[in-house]
Amino acid sequence: MHDQTRTAESDQDLWPAGRLHNAREAAARAGLDALLISPGADLRYLTGYDAKPLERLTCLVVPVDGPPFLVVPALEESAAQASPAGGLGLEITGWSETDDPYAIIAARLPSRTARVGVDNHMWAEKTTAFRTALPGTRQELAGSVLNELRMRKTPPEVTALRRAGTAIDRVHARMGEWLRAGRTEREVGRDIAEAILAEGHVRVDFVIVGSGPHSASPHHELSDRVIRPGDPVVVDIGGTTRDGYCSDSTRVYAIGEPPEEFRRLHDVLLRAQTAQTKAVRPGLTAGQLDAIGRDIITDAGYGAFFIHRTGHGIGLESHEEPYIVSGSALPLEPGMAFSVEPGIYLPDRYGARIEDIVICTEDGAERLNLTGRDLVVIP
Ligand code: ZN
Ligand code: ZN
């Protein structure tokens, strides 16, 4: 994840220099005087720098008047220079152990800096230190301007997400190697995690293996429960690829023939998920897309058991905007990437969820997960 090796042709594609300019314009429109961005997805989005989140301050400063600059601990300076950020013509300043990096940044901002947007994921100890260094400056969330930019993916970002989707598909395709009666969820999960790394990811983000009654708990992870014949098993897995883009896909398996009602439940779910992926188009709102699946599930009598939103955006984070949630008036637009993952969960019995990542295109959805969505019965 911290491999900063440069690949010149893809750097400019994935991390175009224009993003800093766009962020500055968006900040100005929002009435902010500067953005303060700490290590994480926003920093990587703006500069390509996959910085380590450390107790020492690393901060990209994007003033609306004046050029952006990156302040890093001296010992990280060479890594920052070697990252795609080093190719942006951005000033990179190292601070040494006896410097106060907050004071350095405060001194470089105009004295009338009234409002700054701080990274949504900046650690509280750092926002507090900035509050001390910039007394009288109001802190707001940088996400209010950056999420809007990150939500619509560029073609190279779509390519990166497609690559992530194919990588996680390869893991699902191998599920028969690991999933069988007599093994625990944890044993299966360990094999899956290894395969996530072997199949094109540099980090495992989550491994959910919900067998039998555990399938009714949407975010159950792994336990020592022994998988038994007849169990439905929900497998929801995701990781981060080398260029920072995430995968996330859920498929439903059964160990031998599952209960008859489970098949019915799965059929309803598949109908809902299929209708939703087919309905994706620019102009449809996120709330309308949620309702398309929810109505099908409700008509089949399972409405009370679809207990979460339909999906979430995905990119440099596995959960980001846009959220596909009931009541959202956000219109879908070309380039938006998000999951379509309705679920039905009958408490203490079983449940299921089917999840694909899709891209909203001019003429509908492009599915990035292409393994079959039928219930996979493992003999
Ligand atoms: Zn998932
Ligand atoms: Zn998801």
Side-chain angles (χ1 to χ4, degrees):
M1 173 194 184
H2 296 295
D3 182 355
Q4 300 287 351
T5 311
R6 307 270 294 272
T7 45
E9 62 316 340
S10 66
D11 272 10
Q12 286 137 17
D13 287 347
L14 257 187
W15 323 111
R19 282 187 186 158
L20 284 165
H21 174 77
N22 296 344
R24 186 167 73 179
E25 303 259 287
R29 276 197 302 276
L32 297 170
D33 297 300
L35 299 174
L36 302 175
I37 306 301
S38 49
D42 284 335
L43 180 61
R44 196 156 190 198
Y45 175 79
L46 291 173
T47 67
Y49 180 29
D50 182 20
K52 297 183 196 76
L54 302 167
E55 77 291 4
R56 296 186 179 94
L57 183 74
T58 289
C59 187
L60 170 70
V61 184
V62 186
V64 300
D65 297 314
F69 56 97
L70 179 62
V71 174
V72 300
L75 70 169
E76 299 295 329
E77 202 178 329
S78 56
Q81 289 287 4
S83 80
L88 295 178
L90 176 72
E91 180 195 329
I92 300 178
T93 307
W95 58 273
S96 58
E97 298 286 35
T98 53
D99 291 337
D100 175 354
Y102 301 93
I104 291 172
I105 290 171
R108 290 193 54 171
L109 287 172
S111 54
R112 321 168 306 285
T113 298
R115 293 169 65 200
V116 292
V118 299
D119 194 309
N120 285 34
H121 301 298
M122 187 182 285
W123 294 357
E125 62 183 31
K126 297 187 168 69
T127 58
T128 306
F130 272 122
R131 212 167 285 160
T132 306
L134 293 163
T137 299
R138 188 184 147 94
Q139 294 184 349
E140 296 175 33
L141 294 177
S144 63
V145 299
L146 294 180
N147 291 344
E148 179 70 22
L149 302 178
R150 281 176 49 192
M151 202 156 56
R152 281 171 294 273
K153 271 61 183 176
T154 60
E157 287 185 284
V158 171
T159 302
L161 282 167
R162 209 178 275 133
R163 202 179 301 129
T166 310
I168 209 69
D169 281 359
R170 288 197 297 268
V171 181
H172 272 298
R174 292 178 53 192
M175 205 56 63
E177 292 176 32
W178 317 300
L179 195 54
R180 57 181 171 269
R183 303 193 78 201
T184 67
E185 292 173 354
R186 205 178 305 283
E187 286 165 345
V188 174
R190 213 159 17 223
D191 291 339
I192 293 172
E194 238 172 69
I196 289 175
L197 296 177
E199 299 288 1
H201 299 84
V202 294
R203 192 177 70 207
V204 178
D205 292 330
F206 50 87
V207 176
I208 294 175
V209 179
S211 68
H214 291 165
S215 59
S217 166
H219 277 174
H220 170 81
E221 289 213 335
L222 300 168
S223 79
D224 293 317
R225 182 181 184 277
V226 176
I227 296 166
R228 298 203 297 238
D231 275 351
V233 186
V234 172
V235 178
D236 184 353
I237 50 180
T240 302
T241 57
R242 191 172 169 280
D243 47 26
Y245 285 80
C246 299
S247 65
D248 184 3
S249 175
T250 310
R251 292 293 183 259
V252 186
Y253 300 85
I255 309 302
E257 203 43 47
E260 205 165 308
E261 199 202 339
F262 184 78
R263 276 210 174 265
R264 186 178 113 76
L265 178 158
H266 188 276
D267 285 349
V268 171
L269 190 61
L270 185 54
R271 254 196 304 129
Q273 205 263 1
T274 304
Q276 284 179 300
T277 44
K278 282 197 171 140
V280 170
R281 59 175 163 78
L284 187 78
T285 69
Q288 286 168 330
L289 180 57
D290 180 86
I292 288 166
R294 204 166 295 278
D295 288 351
I296 291 171
I297 290 170
T298 302
D299 288 348
Y302 293 120
F305 306 108
F306 178 11
I307 54 174
H308 54 70
R309 63 190 176 212
T310 286
H312 53 83
I314 188 166
L316 290 167
E317 288 175 284
S318 53
H319 285 198
E320 59 181 49
E321 304 234 19
Y323 293 101
I324 311 301
V325 62
S326 178
S328 169
L330 182 80
L332 301 180
E333 290 179 48
M336 285 183 175
F338 50 87
S339 68
V340 175
E341 51 175 313
I344 301 173
Y345 311 93
L346 306 183
D348 304 322
R349 294 177 64 199
Y350 37 68
R353 177 170 63 262
I354 301 170
E355 173 180 26
D356 292 318
I357 303 302
V358 303
I359 305 285
C360 180
T361 74
E362 294 289 353
D363 11 78
E366 177 191 344
R367 278 175 53 204
L368 302 191
N369 299 106
L370 298 171
T371 55
R373 290 168 296 164
D374 291 331
L375 178 65
V376 180
V377 177
I378 294 178

